[in-house]
CSV table of all heavy atoms in Angstrom, one decimal:
chain,number,residue,atom,x,y,z
A,270,ALA,N,39.1,8.3,3.2
A,270,ALA,CA,38.5,9.6,3.2
A,270,ALA,C,37.2,9.6,4.0
A,270,ALA,O,36.4,8.7,3.9
A,270,ALA,CB,38.3,10.1,1.8
A,271,ASP,N,37.0,10.7,4.7
A,271,ASP,CA,35.7,10.8,5.4
A,271,ASP,C,34.8,11.8,4.7
A,271,ASP,O,33.7,12.1,5.1
A,271,ASP,CB,35.9,11.2,6.9
A,271,ASP,CG,36.6,12.5,7.0
A,271,ASP,OD1,36.8,13.3,6.1
A,271,ASP,OD2,37.1,12.8,8.2
A,272,ALA,N,35.3,12.4,3.6
A,272,ALA,CA,34.5,13.3,2.8
A,272,ALA,C,35.0,13.3,1.4
A,272,ALA,O,36.2,13.1,1.1
A,272,ALA,CB,34.5,14.7,3.4
A,273,VAL,N,34.1,13.5,0.4
A,273,VAL,CA,34.4,13.5,-1.0
A,273,VAL,C,33.7,14.7,-1.7
A,273,VAL,O,32.5,14.9,-1.4
A,273,VAL,CB,34.0,12.2,-1.7
A,273,VAL,CG1,34.4,12.2,-3.2
A,273,VAL,CG2,34.6,11.0,-1.1
A,274,ALA,N,34.5,15.4,-2.5
A,274,ALA,CA,33.9,16.4,-3.4
A,274,ALA,C,34.0,15.9,-4.8
A,274,ALA,O,35.1,15.6,-5.3
A,274,ALA,CB,34.6,17.7,-3.2
A,275,VAL,N,32.9,15.9,-5.5
A,275,VAL,CA,32.8,15.4,-6.9
A,275,VAL,C,32.6,16.6,-7.8
A,275,VAL,O,31.5,17.2,-7.7
A,275,VAL,CB,31.7,14.3,-7.1
A,275,VAL,CG1,31.7,13.9,-8.6
A,275,VAL,CG2,31.9,13.2,-6.2
A,276,ILE,N,33.6,16.9,-8.6
A,276,ILE,CA,33.5,18.1,-9.5
A,276,ILE,C,33.3,17.5,-10.9
A,276,ILE,O,34.3,17.1,-11.6
A,276,ILE,CB,34.7,19.0,-9.4
A,276,ILE,CG1,34.9,19.5,-8.0
A,276,ILE,CG2,34.6,20.1,-10.4
A,276,ILE,CD1,36.2,20.2,-7.7
A,277,SER,N,32.1,17.5,-11.4
A,277,SER,CA,31.8,16.8,-12.7
A,277,SER,C,30.6,17.4,-13.4
A,277,SER,O,30.0,18.3,-12.9
A,277,SER,CB,31.5,15.3,-12.3
A,277,SER,OG,30.2,15.2,-11.6
A,278,PHE,N,30.3,16.8,-14.6
A,278,PHE,CA,29.1,17.0,-15.3
A,278,PHE,C,28.3,15.7,-15.1
A,278,PHE,O,28.4,15.1,-14.0
A,278,PHE,CB,29.3,17.3,-16.7
A,278,PHE,CG,30.0,18.7,-17.0
A,278,PHE,CD1,30.6,18.9,-18.2
A,278,PHE,CD2,30.0,19.7,-16.0
A,278,PHE,CE1,31.2,20.1,-18.4
A,278,PHE,CE2,30.6,20.9,-16.2
A,278,PHE,CZ,31.2,21.1,-17.5
A,279,ASP,N,27.5,15.3,-16.0
A,279,ASP,CA,26.6,14.2,-15.8
A,279,ASP,C,27.3,12.9,-15.6
A,279,ASP,O,26.7,11.9,-15.2
A,279,ASP,CB,25.4,14.1,-16.8
A,279,ASP,CG,25.9,13.8,-18.2
A,279,ASP,OD1,27.1,13.6,-18.4
A,279,ASP,OD2,25.1,13.8,-19.1
A,280,GLU,N,28.6,12.8,-16.1
A,280,GLU,CA,29.3,11.5,-15.8
A,280,GLU,C,29.5,11.3,-14.3
A,280,GLU,O,29.8,10.2,-13.9
A,280,GLU,CB,30.7,11.6,-16.5
A,280,GLU,CG,31.8,12.4,-15.8
A,280,GLU,CD,31.7,13.8,-16.0
A,280,GLU,OE1,30.8,14.3,-16.8
A,280,GLU,OE2,32.4,14.6,-15.3
A,281,GLY,N,29.3,12.4,-13.5
A,281,GLY,CA,29.4,12.2,-12.1
A,281,GLY,C,28.4,11.2,-11.5
A,281,GLY,O,28.6,10.6,-10.4
A,282,ALA,N,27.3,11.0,-12.2
A,282,ALA,CA,26.3,10.0,-11.8
A,282,ALA,C,26.9,8.6,-11.8
A,282,ALA,O,26.6,7.8,-10.8
A,282,ALA,CB,25.1,10.0,-12.7
A,283,ARG,N,27.8,8.3,-12.7
A,283,ARG,CA,28.4,7.0,-12.7
A,283,ARG,C,29.5,6.9,-11.6
A,283,ARG,O,29.7,5.8,-11.0
A,283,ARG,CB,29.1,6.7,-14.1
A,283,ARG,CG,28.0,6.5,-15.2
A,283,ARG,CD,28.6,6.0,-16.5
A,283,ARG,NE,29.4,7.0,-17.1
A,283,ARG,CZ,30.6,6.8,-17.6
A,283,ARG,NH1,31.2,5.6,-17.5
A,283,ARG,NH2,31.3,7.8,-18.2
A,284,ILE,N,30.1,8.0,-11.3
A,284,ILE,CA,31.1,8.0,-10.2
A,284,ILE,C,30.4,7.8,-8.9
A,284,ILE,O,30.8,7.0,-8.1
A,284,ILE,CB,31.8,9.4,-10.2
A,284,ILE,CG1,32.7,9.6,-11.4
A,284,ILE,CG2,32.7,9.5,-8.9
A,284,ILE,CD1,33.4,10.9,-11.5
A,285,LEU,N,29.3,8.5,-8.7
A,285,LEU,CA,28.5,8.3,-7.5
A,285,LEU,C,27.9,6.9,-7.4
A,285,LEU,O,27.9,6.3,-6.3
A,285,LEU,CB,27.3,9.3,-7.5
A,285,LEU,CG,27.7,10.8,-7.3
A,285,LEU,CD1,26.6,11.7,-7.6
A,285,LEU,CD2,28.2,11.1,-5.9
A,286,SER,N,27.5,6.3,-8.5
A,286,SER,CA,27.0,4.9,-8.4
A,286,SER,C,28.1,4.0,-8.0
A,286,SER,O,27.9,3.1,-7.1
A,286,SER,CB,26.5,4.5,-9.8
A,286,SER,OG,26.1,3.2,-9.8
A,287,THR,N,29.3,4.2,-8.5
A,287,THR,CA,30.5,3.3,-8.1
A,287,THR,C,30.8,3.6,-6.6
A,287,THR,O,31.2,2.6,-5.9
A,287,THR,CB,31.7,3.6,-9.0
A,287,THR,OG1,31.3,3.4,-10.3
A,287,THR,CG2,32.9,2.7,-8.6
A,288,MET,N,30.8,4.8,-6.2
A,288,MET,CA,31.0,5.1,-4.8
A,288,MET,C,30.1,4.4,-3.8
A,288,MET,O,30.5,3.9,-2.8
A,288,MET,CB,31.0,6.7,-4.6
A,288,MET,CG,32.1,7.4,-5.1
A,288,MET,SD,31.9,9.2,-5.1
A,288,MET,CE,31.6,9.5,-3.3
A,289,ILE,N,28.8,4.4,-4.2
A,289,ILE,CA,27.8,3.7,-3.4
A,289,ILE,C,28.1,2.2,-3.4
A,289,ILE,O,28.0,1.6,-2.3
A,289,ILE,CB,26.4,4.0,-4.0
A,289,ILE,CG1,26.0,5.5,-3.8
A,289,ILE,CG2,25.3,3.1,-3.3
A,289,ILE,CD1,24.8,5.9,-4.6
A,290,GLU,N,28.5,1.7,-4.5
A,290,GLU,CA,28.8,0.2,-4.5
A,290,GLU,C,30.0,-0.1,-3.6
A,290,GLU,O,30.0,-1.2,-3.0
A,290,GLU,CB,29.1,-0.2,-5.9
A,290,GLU,CG,27.9,-0.2,-6.9
A,290,GLU,CD,28.3,-0.4,-8.3
A,290,GLU,OE1,29.6,-0.6,-8.6
A,290,GLU,OE2,27.5,-0.4,-9.2
A,291,ARG,N,30.9,0.8,-3.5
A,291,ARG,CA,32.2,0.6,-2.7
A,291,ARG,C,32.0,1.0,-1.3
A,291,ARG,O,33.0,1.0,-0.5
A,291,ARG,CB,33.3,1.3,-3.4
A,291,ARG,CG,33.6,0.9,-4.8
A,291,ARG,CD,34.2,-0.5,-4.9
A,291,ARG,NE,34.4,-0.9,-6.3
A,291,ARG,CZ,35.6,-0.6,-6.9
A,291,ARG,NH1,36.5,0.1,-6.3
A,291,ARG,NH2,35.7,-1.0,-8.2
A,292,GLY,N,30.9,1.5,-0.9
A,292,GLY,CA,30.6,1.9,0.5
A,292,GLY,C,31.2,3.3,0.9
A,292,GLY,O,31.4,3.5,2.1
A,293,VAL,N,31.3,4.1,-0.1
A,293,VAL,CA,31.7,5.5,0.2
A,293,VAL,C,30.7,6.5,-0.4
A,293,VAL,O,31.1,7.6,-0.9
A,293,VAL,CB,33.1,5.8,-0.3
A,293,VAL,CG1,34.2,5.1,0.6
A,293,VAL,CG2,33.3,5.4,-1.8
A,294,GLY,N,29.4,6.1,-0.4
A,294,GLY,CA,28.4,7.0,-1.0
A,294,GLY,C,27.8,7.9,0.1
A,294,GLY,O,28.3,7.9,1.3
A,295,PRO,N,26.8,8.7,-0.2
A,295,PRO,CA,26.2,9.6,0.8
A,295,PRO,C,25.7,9.0,2.1
A,295,PRO,O,25.6,9.7,3.1
A,295,PRO,CB,25.1,10.3,0.0
A,295,PRO,CG,25.5,10.1,-1.5
A,295,PRO,CD,26.2,8.8,-1.5
A,296,ALA,N,25.4,7.7,2.0
A,296,ALA,CA,24.9,7.1,3.2
A,296,ALA,C,26.0,6.7,4.2
A,296,ALA,O,25.8,6.3,5.3
A,296,ALA,CB,24.1,5.8,2.9
Side-chain angles (χ1 to χ4, degrees):
D271 59 13
V273 180
V275 180
I276 301 170
S277 70
F278 292 161
D279 65 3
E280 80 282 350
R283 291 190 289 134
I284 295 174
L285 291 166
S286 179
T287 303
M288 287 172 55
I289 292 169
E290 292 172 1
R291 301 289 180 86
V293 287

